[in-house]
Amino acid sequence: MRAVIQRVSRAAVSCNTEPVREIAAGLLVLLGIEHEDTVKDIVWLSRKIVQMRIFNDAANLMNLSLKDTGGDIMLISQFTLHAATHKGNRPSFIRAARPEQALPLYMQLADQLSIESGRPVVTGFFGEHMDVSFINDGPVTIIIDSKSEW
């Protein structure tokens, strides 16, 4: 699993005629799932996201985690994070998991993030064209790949 984690002041996602989903200050997590990902990746990644110290403390140092601040989480599925671009000009998404495998893992990660953070997780619209807007706070953007853990 590959995640792009952005510290945000706020974020919103919309899709067609569905109501807009929003969060206040917290983390916007763009998630790419590949066919080799398992529950082990979910457990590792969710702990890492919730415990990562990327929020400022009273001394304006990044010493606080999402769990410390009680911030919100928005989780957006983005298969394009596994684009292979080494050959030609058209990205290949061969490593990205098919929707029938990715959707259950995506929902399990949302549930695990909720458990780890003690807060509900706002999700995007899986498999749909979405408009995502956010204000990156800092800016702070971190890229994590669960395969780098082992």
Side-chain angles (χ1 to χ4, degrees):
M1 287 184 174
R2 185 168 293 155
V4 175
I5 301 159
Q6 298 183 318
R7 187 177 76 183
V8 297
S9 300
R10 65 179 180 267
V13 60
S14 62
C15 173
N16 299 324
T17 60
E18 296 289 325
V20 173
R21 298 176 183 174
E22 299 176 291
I23 64 167
L27 297 177
L28 169 63
V29 180
L30 305 174
L31 179 71
I33 300 170
E34 63 180 321
H35 54 81
E36 296 176 1
D37 290 332
T38 66
V39 173
K40 186 176 180 182
D41 297 282
I42 291 168
V43 171
W44 182 85
L45 189 60
S46 63
R47 285 188 184 142
K48 197 71 162 170
I49 290 169
V50 172
Q51 295 177 11
M52 189 174 302
R53 298 182 337 177
I54 59 174
F55 292 90
N56 294 353
D57 63 12
N60 209 27
L61 300 173
M62 287 199 286
N63 278 327
L64 301 176
S65 68
L66 182 84
K67 197 163 189 167
D68 297 326
T69 64
D72 292 336
I73 301 174
M74 178 177 281
L75 181 64
I76 303 290
S77 176
Q78 188 171 344
F79 75 93
T80 60
L81 291 179
H82 286 292
T85 58
H86 60 281
K87 291 173 74 176
N89 293 319
R90 183 175 183 187
S92 169
F93 303 106
I94 194 81
R95 290 183 50 209
R98 303 277 312 147
E100 56 273 9
Q101 178 191 9
L103 178 57
L105 292 172
Y106 170 72
M107 296 310 296
Q108 287 175 22
L109 180 63
D111 291 344
Q112 190 64 35
L113 284 168
S114 182
I115 291 167
E116 294 279 342
S117 68
R119 300 184 46 82
V121 171
V122 175
T123 59
F125 302 90
F126 186 90
E128 299 293 331
H129 179 88
M130 296 173 272
D131 292 321
V132 180
S133 60
F134 59 94
I135 297 179
N136 193 318
D137 179 23
V140 174
T141 301
I142 308 288
I143 301 170
I144 298 178
D145 194 314
S146 63
K147 299 303 186 255
S148 66
E149 187 267 340
W150 12 94

